[in-house]
Amino acid sequence: MDEPTKKIAVVTGAGSGIGRSVALALAAAGWAVALAGRRAEPLEETAAAAGTGADVLCVPADVSDPDDVNRLFESVRTRYGRLDLLFNNAGTFGPGGVPLEDITYEAWRSVVDVNLTGAFLCAQAAFRQMKGQDPQGGRIVNNGSISAHVPRPNSIAYTATKHAMTGLTKSLSLDGRPYRIACGQIDIGNAATEMTERMQTGILQANGQLAVEPVMDAADVARTVLHMAELPLEANVQFATVMATAMPYIGRG
């Protein structure tokens, strides 16, 4: 069967930040994009920003809810008949600045449920679709983080889930080989989004001081994801790190 001319993507967390930037970049490049997120209104704002000529589908969904995830991917299958890309982006930082010993079980679970379980559920649903469709195959790009490499102070839940995302990426990459399913991960540092606003006012450093950190435009991340997405399935960016050039990560800060 010939390869379809229009590529189909699902972007989770598409109502704001990196998810919105990636969804807009994909739509501008001619992809059909299913926008997923918990609230309908931000998704509609992303759809409006994509323009009247864009092929977008808004599907409110909580990625930590298996029923919502199944409904999301069924909606995409019904509308488009196939899936070429999942950008597994939905995530939450959780309780910021809370000492490890004071994190509640509920707070821990809320971060794990979205960042790890949600990523797994979406990847599993995408994998099933990509394995079963004709032509077979597709690509999953997971949003890791600089926190998949090194933590910030008082970020144990977020850091643990982002380290786990690396294991998820590697397993998906291995298990997808027989079915032309490629999986890669983009580790992002200090993209200017709602989640990183505090970087520009001062954030706790490992030495106990507060410091303003450089940020970069989320569109710079989107260009990288688009490059990963548009490679032929015979090629894969396994891991990419995209960060504000002068952020305190490499060396001693």
Side-chain angles (χ1 to χ4, degrees):
M1 183 175 177
D2 294 336
E3 293 284 345
T5 55
K6 177 175 281 190
K7 298 293 187 179
I8 314 302
V10 169
V11 177
T12 65
S16 63
I18 290 167
R20 174 174 286 178
S21 291
V22 169
L24 294 178
L26 289 166
W31 289 65
V33 187
L35 309 172
R38 289 188 178 186
R39 297 184 295 124
E41 184 177 355
L43 299 179
E44 296 292 346
E45 292 172 356
T46 300
T52 55
D55 186 354
V56 296
L57 173 67
C58 296
V59 187
D62 179 350
V63 298
S64 67
D65 184 328
D67 291 335
D68 273 17
V69 171
N70 289 336
R71 182 173 52 80
L72 165 62
F73 285 87
E74 180 59 35
S75 297
V76 173
R77 188 161 47 249
T78 298
R79 170 82 169 255
Y80 299 110
R82 67 174 289 108
L83 177 63
D84 299 289
L85 172 70
L86 165 65
F87 181 44
N88 224 351
N89 167 71
T92 179
F93 191 80
V98 177
L100 185 154
E101 65 271 21
D102 294 332
I103 295 175
T104 64
Y105 173 76
E106 291 75 19
W108 167 268
R109 275 296 304 270
S110 69
V111 177
V112 172
D113 286 350
V114 173
N115 293 7
L116 181 56
T117 302
F120 163 74
L121 291 173
C122 290
Q124 182 185 52
F127 195 99
R128 286 172 177 156
Q129 173 66 38
M130 293 170 179
K131 180 180 177 181
Q133 65 195 9
D134 185 17
Q136 190 179 61
R139 189 181 307 275
I140 298 168
V141 177
N142 290 325
N143 184 347
S145 171
I146 295 296
S147 291
H149 303 269
V150 291
R152 288 187 177 278
N154 300 328
S155 67
I156 192 167
Y158 184 78
T159 300
T161 59
K162 291 304 183 178
H163 274 64
M165 183 71 89
T166 300
L168 187 74
T169 297
K170 291 178 178 179
S171 286
L172 286 166
S173 190
L174 178 60
D175 293 346
R177 280 182 190 172
Y179 312 111
R180 298 187 76 238
I181 299 172
C183 183
Q185 180 169 312
I186 183 166
D187 295 325
I188 301 163
N190 287 15
T193 67
E194 296 89 336
M195 187 180 285
T196 60
E197 285 179 351
R198 59 207 171 115
M199 306 291 179
Q200 300 172 68
T201 58
I203 188 167
L204 183 65
Q205 304 294 304
N207 63 2
Q209 297 179 348
L210 292 177
V212 173
E213 294 190 11
V215 296
M216 63 178 172
D217 195 309
D220 299 328
V221 177
R223 282 195 291 272
T224 306
V225 175
L226 181 62
H227 168 68
M228 296 169 74
E230 294 197 325
L231 287 171
L233 290 177
E234 291 72 26
N236 186 42
V237 175
Q238 187 65 67
F239 292 98
T241 301
V242 182
M243 52 180 268
T245 304
M247 70 172 289
Y249 168 55
I250 297 299
R252 298 188 180 186

